Amino acid sequence: MTTETATERHPADPIISVNEVSFRYGERPVLEDVSIDVEPGTFLGLVGPNGSGKSTLLELMLGLKRPDTGSVTLFGDRAHEFDDGKRVGYVAQNVTETARDMPVTVREAVTMGRYPHRLVGRFSRADRRAIEDAMDRVGITDLASRRVGRLSGGQRQRVFIARALASEADLLVLDEPTVGVDAESREEFYHLLHTLNATGLTVILIEHDIGVVTTYATEIACLNRRLYFDGDPDEFVSTDTLAAAYGTDQHVIHHDH
Ligand code: ADP
């Protein structure tokens, strides 16, 4: 058999492949002819002005929307047919605000990420260890018994990441994760993402703070309906792509580490 199937994927194949994708909401074109591959181990920062199609592109990448033209694959499958949800941790925009009303503890919320692994409805010792490890890796073990709704925005953000880690996701996708999070917590949060990425997790995120994202990401994609740039963060800040995509002079605040 020479037919390609998901199980025959090579480990170095792109996790996501977006090929010549266009998308409109009704008559309004939102994405035009966008092509981008996300390789395993990448930390991709997706930037662009408000309304430039970033969230829409993420939703297309995750198969939550279908392109009008072009194609998207996720782990080698057509994205909208992909059904191994535990491989992907998705923290949508505003999810931490919604979580204010979550009547569960941190440990319970993280445990939800482990449900797809349970055998005959029971957690094994390995499952329980995975849940504790996930909380430990993001530094929320001390908060395990606290109600999620009582936490700060930054702490809630970590709960969602721990939930993805508990499910042993290979890909973590975050839409503006640091909105409403103070500058210091934002830096700490990026350090955490950097560490997780260094241990093999592929990360994609939308971030409006270009200074912080270009400091930590390994790749920048700049969108404004079309893809203006896809490549090295240093190259991105040293070219005039930013002004071209945003239509104004942008000043990047550099974060030295
Ligand atoms: P970004 O994430 O870069 O802010 P979005 O992908 O959210 O951009 O939105 C791109 C454009 O599509 C915006 O002009 C937005 O108003 C519009 N849009 C987003 N969602 C919808 C929708 N469900 N229906 C119609 N228009 C939408």
Side-chain angles (χ1 to χ4, degrees):
M1 289 273 286
T2 53
T3 331
E4 282 249 325
T5 68
T7 50
E8 290 165 21
R9 277 171 47 78
H10 190 273
D13 286 348
I15 287 184
I16 294 172
S17 189
V18 175
N19 305 295
E20 297 174 4
V21 159
S22 297
F23 183 86
R24 351 177 128 236
Y25 288 110
E27 290 298 301
R28 168 185 261 176
V30 174
L31 295 172
E32 267 176 36
D33 200 23
V34 172
S35 296
I36 182 169
D37 282 352
V38 181
E39 308 294 340
T42 303
F43 183 163
L44 175 68
L46 192 52
V47 302
N50 276 338
S52 60
K54 303 182 297 295
S55 300
T56 304
L57 179 60
L58 274 195
E59 289 173 344
L60 285 157
M61 285 173 159
L62 297 176
L64 303 172
K65 287 183 167 44
R66 292 176 68 160
D68 296 331
T69 57
S71 63
V72 184
T73 62
L74 176 59
F75 292 105
D77 290 336
R78 280 188 286 192
H80 64 274
E81 290 173 356
F82 177 80
D83 63 358
D84 192 1
K86 64 181 181 302
R87 299 190 73 179
V88 181
Y90 176 41
V91 184
Q93 209 168 15
N94 299 330
V95 74
T96 61
E97 282 309 306
T98 318
R100 270 186 200 285
D101 302 326
M102 259 176 112
V104 296
T105 66
V106 168
R107 182 177 279 109
E108 285 164 347
V110 176
T111 298
M112 288 173 199
R114 198 67 195 173
Y115 284 160
H117 287 270
R118 283 188 309 182
L119 292 174
V120 291
R122 283 171 168 269
F123 283 121
S124 65
R125 189 177 295 190
D127 290 325
R128 295 193 187 287
R129 196 177 313 124
I131 292 160
E132 298 304 316
D133 282 354
M135 290 194 292
D136 186 43
R137 284 175 75 189
V138 306
I140 56 169
T141 302
D142 292 351
L143 305 173
S145 306
R146 297 265 300 275
R147 290 279 186 119
V148 172
R150 301 269 163 81
L151 304 179
S152 71
Q155 289 168 330
R156 271 202 298 273
Q157 201 54 259
R158 286 168 188 259
V159 173
F160 286 101
I161 293 185
R163 191 169 71 173
L165 295 177
S167 85
E168 291 175 28
D170 305 302
L171 172 65
L172 182 63
V173 179
L174 307 118
D175 193 343
E176 295 221 61
T178 59
V179 165
V181 174
D182 63 75
E184 193 181 332
S185 307
R186 181 179 297 182
E187 290 279 342
E188 281 175 19
F189 180 73
Y190 266 85
H191 270 297
L192 170 64
L193 290 183
H194 174 77
T195 307
L196 296 174
N197 174 247
T199 56
L201 187 69
T202 302
V203 179
I204 305 177
L205 91 166
I206 295 177
E207 173 61 66
H208 62 276
D209 183 337
I210 290 171
V212 80
V213 75
T214 50
T215 305
Y216 291 95
T218 61
E219 180 177 335
I220 295 290
C222 180
L223 198 69
N224 195 357
R225 196 180 331 165
R226 294 187 299 106
L227 192 63
Y228 277 73
F229 181 90
D230 176 21
D232 186 67
D234 291 338
E235 197 184 319
F236 176 67
V237 292
S238 65
T239 63
D240 54 5
T241 319
L242 199 57
Y246 283 71
T248 54
D249 282 343
Q250 284 281 317
H251 298 285
V252 177
I253 302 158
H254 288 281
H255 298 248
D256 294 323
H257 295 281

